[in-house]
Amino acid sequence: MTFSYLGHLFGHESGGSILSALKQRRWANGLSAGNYLDNRDFASFTVTVDLSEEGVEHVDEVVACIFAYVGMLQRTGPQEWVWNELKEISDMNFQFISKIEPSSYATNLANGMHVYSVPHTICGSQLQFQCDLPETWFYLSHFTPANSLITVSHQGFAGKTTLKEKWYGTDYNQRAYSEQQTSLWTSSMTQSAVWDQMLGLPQRNPFVPTDFTLKSKQAKETASAYPVLIP
């Protein structure tokens, strides 16, 4: 529940989103967010930004925008309506789930058996069962510069690296955050004149369907003529 909730908020692309704010600056083309590793004793949350060429020159400011969104969520507090909306969507997606390759399905079931109890082996990774927003906000409190790892990949770094990865031979650089970077990102979480007016929660979606009962032929014949104006 925690990762799907936070992934939805960090990854939404409507007004007030991280991506929307970055696009206004022409610094990003796309964004995705969610769990990267999720084990019993360890988990990590990843925000991946597809930067524009101009955005590559403003990596620190892009990171500041992400931490400003973290601060906005912490100040706004838990939103039960967001969880309810996600639950309705996951219920719908599971009810009408598409067929997948048998080998992939068997692998998913085998993995699910290590995580979920028998009644939830099939649906555990698909459905939302318990709304525990305080726990979600507990995890969100750990979204800080000190707990982060930032990776920047760009072809412009070719020939400018000093380290080589042991197993794959990938060239890379590694360095600690500077005091200026840490100060910028930390202050963005508490107050940011640059980002605060551009960031916000997604709007409620009033068009998520919840009633999938089939209409009988008789009900169709007695129904009013279509189209019908929806208030």
Side-chain angles (χ1 to χ4, degrees), residues 27 51 53-63:
W27 290 350
L51 297 173
E53 287 299 321
E54 186 176 351
V56 174
E57 304 297 327
H58 297 274
V59 171
D60 288 353
E61 291 88 342
V62 170
V63 176

Side-chain angles (χ1 to χ4, degrees), residues 104-220:
S104 299
Y105 185 64
T107 301
N108 292 340
L109 288 180
N111 290 333
M113 292 175 67
H114 292 279
V115 181
Y116 307 103
S117 58
V118 174
H120 301 141
T121 299
I122 296 177
C123 62
S125 62
Q126 303 288 333
L127 300 180
Q128 306 287 338
F129 296 100
Q130 181 179 0
C131 180
D132 192 349
L133 295 179
E135 180 183 74
T136 301
W137 249 245
F138 169 76
Y139 284 108
L140 185 65
S141 67
H142 290 78
F143 285 29
T144 64
N147 286 335
S148 69
L149 176 66
I150 300 172
T151 302
V152 184
S153 302
H154 189 262
Q155 60 184 3
F157 297 139
K160 302 177 181 179
T161 57
T162 59
L163 301 174
K164 186 178 291 289
E165 199 276 331
K166 177 179 179 180
W167 302 107
Y168 295 97
T170 304
D171 297 322
Y172 71 100
N173 287 327
Q174 179 178 321
R175 66 185 183 187
Y177 301 151
S178 67
E179 292 184 5
Q180 183 179 3
Q181 288 174 316
T182 303
S183 176
L184 171 64
W185 301 334
T186 303
S187 62
S188 296
M189 295 179 63
T190 56
Q191 184 176 7
S192 174
V194 177
W195 300 112
D196 284 352
Q197 295 183 349
M198 304 172 66
L199 300 174
L201 295 172
Q203 295 185 0
R204 299 172 185 252
N205 186 352
F207 301 107
V208 177
T210 55
D211 183 3
F212 300 100
T213 55
L214 298 176
K215 301 296 183 182
S216 65
K217 182 178 180 181
Q218 181 179 5
K220 291 182 179 179

Side-chain angles (χ1 to χ4, degrees), residues 30-113:
L31 183 148
S32 61
N35 61 312
Y36 176 67
L37 295 173
D38 187 4
N39 300 315
R40 290 185 177 182
D41 56 353
F42 175 82
S44 65
F45 185 86
T46 301
V47 179
T48 303
V49 183
D50 179 16
L51 297 173
S52 65
E53 287 299 321
E54 186 176 351
V56 174
E57 304 297 327
H58 297 274
V59 171
D60 288 353
E61 291 88 342
V62 170
V63 176
C65 178
I66 296 173
F67 279 118
Y69 196 83
V70 173
M72 183 275 297
L73 291 180
Q74 292 176 343
R75 293 190 298 273
T76 303
Q79 302 292 318
E80 187 172 353
W81 69 267
V82 175
W83 182 85
N84 290 332
E85 191 172 283
L86 290 175
K87 183 181 185 306
E88 292 171 354
I89 293 175
S90 64
D91 289 347
M92 176 184 64
N93 290 338
F94 185 75
Q95 182 175 350
F96 301 102
I97 192 171
S98 300
K99 292 183 179 180
I100 62 175
E101 289 291 332
S103 59
S104 299
Y105 185 64
T107 301
N108 292 340
L109 288 180
N111 290 333
M113 292 175 67

